Amino acid sequence: MEHYFSSISFSFKVLKIFGLWRTNKERYSYKVYRMFFVCLFFLFYLGSIFVSALTVSTVDEFFSKILYIALTEIVMAFKTFAGFFKFYTIKQLHHQTHSTNFKPLNAKERKIFNKSIARINRYFWLLLCSTCTVWFNLLALFSGQFKLPMFPWMLGIPYGRHLPYNFYFLAVYQTTGMFLHAFINIIHDIQVCYLLEAGSIQLMLLEERFSTTQSKQTGRHNHRKLYIKYMEHFVKITNFVKQVESVWSKAIFSQFCASGITICAISFRLSSLNFTQDFPNALTSLLYLILMMNQIFMPCYFGNEVTLKSARLTHALYCLYSSEWIKMNAPERKEIQMMMKPIVLKAGGFFYYNLGMFTSTLNTAYSLFCVLQRRASSTRGEM
């Protein structure tokens, strides 16, 4: 197996632990373990959430306490199944990032490569550590008030000061489930972001190679050979990025669709809480809101990086070859025109992976939040 970077190597190990690793030669014991984990987590835990959603008495309670959790769980399950059933394609993409074609050619390229990889590793470990800290500290916040950290009803089991053991059991159950949910989400998100970053790195390196080739005084024949080599590499980069898009397109589409409603629901819940009197609930909701915003920010940011790097490559090609356009033959002009189209990625064929989509999702969430606020205000006025 190739030497993967720390974040990717760790994510693969986690996938093995969670039974989400696939190989052609799997042991029967591992298949049994996978079925056990899937039934325990996805059927029992997620099933209890949806049963809880059916027991709410009011619409406001549904929006403020249940909806945002239920939607994020659905998206997490969608990502997990997408990653599991397309695992061989994902593994092949990771293999490609370690192929000879994707390796830096000199010290300058190695520096660019290492800097980009170090950035995504830092981002991953910071996000993972902050998530672990958040979810494992929730029990200490809620134990004094005997309020469950997520949703108030759970499996019909009574709890409270008179039944402390029931409370602690349910609190541990909810916190552990939400931690696993966040953990699996991060693992899949880092897979997407790493592969997109690998594509943007290659576009940066290709821009550097074109600039270096143009600055050297090489003969027409050698220049043409390098040009063909770089064109072939550009095609490989484009196919690589499009494969990443096809694997995760539907999962990220579901993330975008759910995120607007989820962010709105969490914001609506925060607006109804008193931070001084109900600090644990307010803090939990605020942290959950930040994590949800980060889940849509990550693919938007790294997808935006791919588009920006391809646009920079387009600009570099224009500067390098605009004066040579008349001297080029028809095939060369066609190849240059193909490379001068920036690479854009879409989720589900509708939403672009860019920072503009991130701000649009937040604007949509704010609009929904205003509608709920007006409805709540009118309801209180009638009472």
Side-chain angles (χ1 to χ4, degrees):
M1 181 182 291
E2 294 88 348
H3 175 68
Y4 290 105
F5 305 103
S6 59
S7 58
I8 300 304
S9 178
F10 180 81
S11 67
F12 280 155
K13 291 177 181 177
V14 171
L15 290 176
K16 288 182 180 180
I17 294 173
F18 288 170
L20 301 175
W21 182 272
R22 295 183 68 189
T23 60
N24 293 324
K25 298 179 180 179
E26 290 181 346
R27 294 182 179 179
Y28 180 75
S29 58
Y30 187 73
K31 292 181 179 179
V32 173
Y33 168 76
R34 176 190 295 149
M35 291 299 298
F36 172 77
F37 180 83
V38 169
C39 291
L40 180 66
F41 183 72
F42 287 97
L43 297 182
F44 186 71
Y45 174 71
L46 296 185
S48 65
I49 291 178
F50 291 111
V51 171
S52 299
L54 297 175
T55 63
V56 295
S57 56
T58 64
V59 175
D60 290 343
E61 185 181 4
F62 176 76
F63 271 97
S64 62
K65 296 181 179 180
I66 299 295
L67 179 63
Y68 71 98
I69 296 178
L71 284 176
T72 52
E73 296 290 356
I74 292 173
V75 172
M76 181 273 298
F78 203 90
K79 285 182 183 178
T80 302
F81 289 125
F84 179 75
F85 288 110
K86 296 186 178 180
F87 184 81
Y88 295 121
T89 304
I90 296 171
K91 198 71 164 54
Q92 182 183 1
L93 290 170
H94 281 287
H95 286 170
Q96 190 172 347
T97 63
H98 287 77
S99 65
T100 305
N101 293 324
F102 275 49
K103 287 184 178 180
L105 299 180
N106 52 51
K108 186 176 182 180
E109 290 189 0
R110 171 62 63 181
K111 184 178 180 180
I112 296 173
F113 182 86
N114 289 339
K115 184 178 179 180
S116 299
I117 293 299
R119 178 180 63 173
I120 199 167
N121 278 334
R122 285 195 302 268
Y123 190 79
F124 170 74
W125 290 113
L126 177 64
L127 181 61
L128 186 64
C129 292
S130 62
T131 302
C132 294
T133 304
V134 167
W135 296 117
F136 276 120
N137 281 334
L138 285 179
L139 285 179
L141 293 173
F142 285 91
S143 59
Q145 297 185 12
F146 288 91
K147 290 183 178 180
L148 291 178
M150 306 306 165
F151 28 88
W153 187 93
M154 194 67 192
L155 305 175
I157 301 175
Y159 63 91
R161 294 184 183 276
H162 61 294
L163 295 170
Y165 293 108
N166 288 8
F167 165 77
Y168 288 120
F169 167 75
L170 293 176
V172 170
Y173 176 83
Q174 284 192 5
T175 305
T176 303
M178 290 305 297
F179 171 74
L180 291 177
H181 151 78
F183 206 73
I184 293 174
N185 253 326
I186 291 172
I187 294 302
H188 288 300
D189 288 341
I190 203 64
Q191 297 278 339
V192 182
C193 296
Y194 167 73
L195 293 173
L196 291 176
E197 181 71 354
S200 65
I201 290 172
Q202 293 305 311
L203 290 169
M204 278 194 295
L205 298 183
L206 190 59
E207 178 193 354
E208 178 67 24
R209 290 168 192 173
F210 268 112
S211 301
T212 304
T213 302
Q214 187 69 11
S215 62
K216 291 181 179 179
Q217 298 297 324
T218 59
R220 173 71 179 174
H221 178 69
N222 291 333
H223 187 279
R224 177 61 183 168
K225 286 176 62 177
L226 288 173
Y227 172 78
I228 293 174
K229 180 181 177 181
Y230 296 158
M231 273 298 305
E232 291 174 349
H233 188 53
F234 176 78
V235 172
K236 291 178 181 177
I237 297 171
T238 304
N239 292 336
F240 174 84
V241 173
K242 289 302 178 181
Q243 268 194 298
V244 176
E245 178 188 25
S246 65
V247 169
W248 297 105
S249 177
K250 294 179 181 178
I252 295 179
F253 174 76
S254 65
Q255 181 73 69
F256 282 144
C257 291
S259 293
I261 301 174
T262 304
I263 292 172
C264 164
I266 301 173
S267 302
F268 180 69
R269 186 186 190 192
L270 281 170
S271 67
S272 63
L273 294 175
N274 188 317
F275 274 68
T276 56
Q277 297 178 359
D278 202 0
F279 178 73
N281 270 319
L283 179 60
T284 303
S285 299
L286 181 61
L287 293 173
Y288 201 95
L289 176 64
I290 294 172
L291 289 174
M292 275 304 304
M293 292 175 64
N294 186 72
Q295 280 190 340
I296 59 172
F297 175 76
M298 288 176 67
C300 287
Y301 174 78
F302 287 101
N304 194 71
E305 285 292 293
V306 171
T307 303
L308 287 179
K309 298 302 187 298
S310 63
R312 284 183 55 181
L313 177 61
T314 296
H315 179 71
L317 288 173
Y318 176 78
C319 295
L320 292 173
Y321 292 102
S322 57
S323 60
E324 302 289 331
W325 185 261
I326 299 177
K327 301 177 184 178
M328 292 182 179
N329 54 38
E332 288 178 335
R333 293 180 182 180
K334 188 175 181 180
E335 291 167 352
I336 289 292
Q337 286 179 329
M338 182 184 70
M339 293 183 67
M340 293 183 72
K341 294 180 180 179
I343 301 173
V344 294
L345 299 99
K346 284 187 175 182
F350 293 97
F351 303 136
Y352 289 103
Y353 296 24
N354 54 36
L355 295 178
M357 188 60 216
F358 175 71
T359 56
S360 297
T361 304
L362 295 184
N363 289 335
T364 302
Y366 178 73
S367 300
L368 292 172
F369 170 75
C370 291
V371 172
L372 288 177
Q373 281 286 80
R374 284 197 295 268
R375 182 185 179 281
S377 299
S378 61
T379 303
R380 286 193 294 266
E382 292 174 358
M383 295 176 60

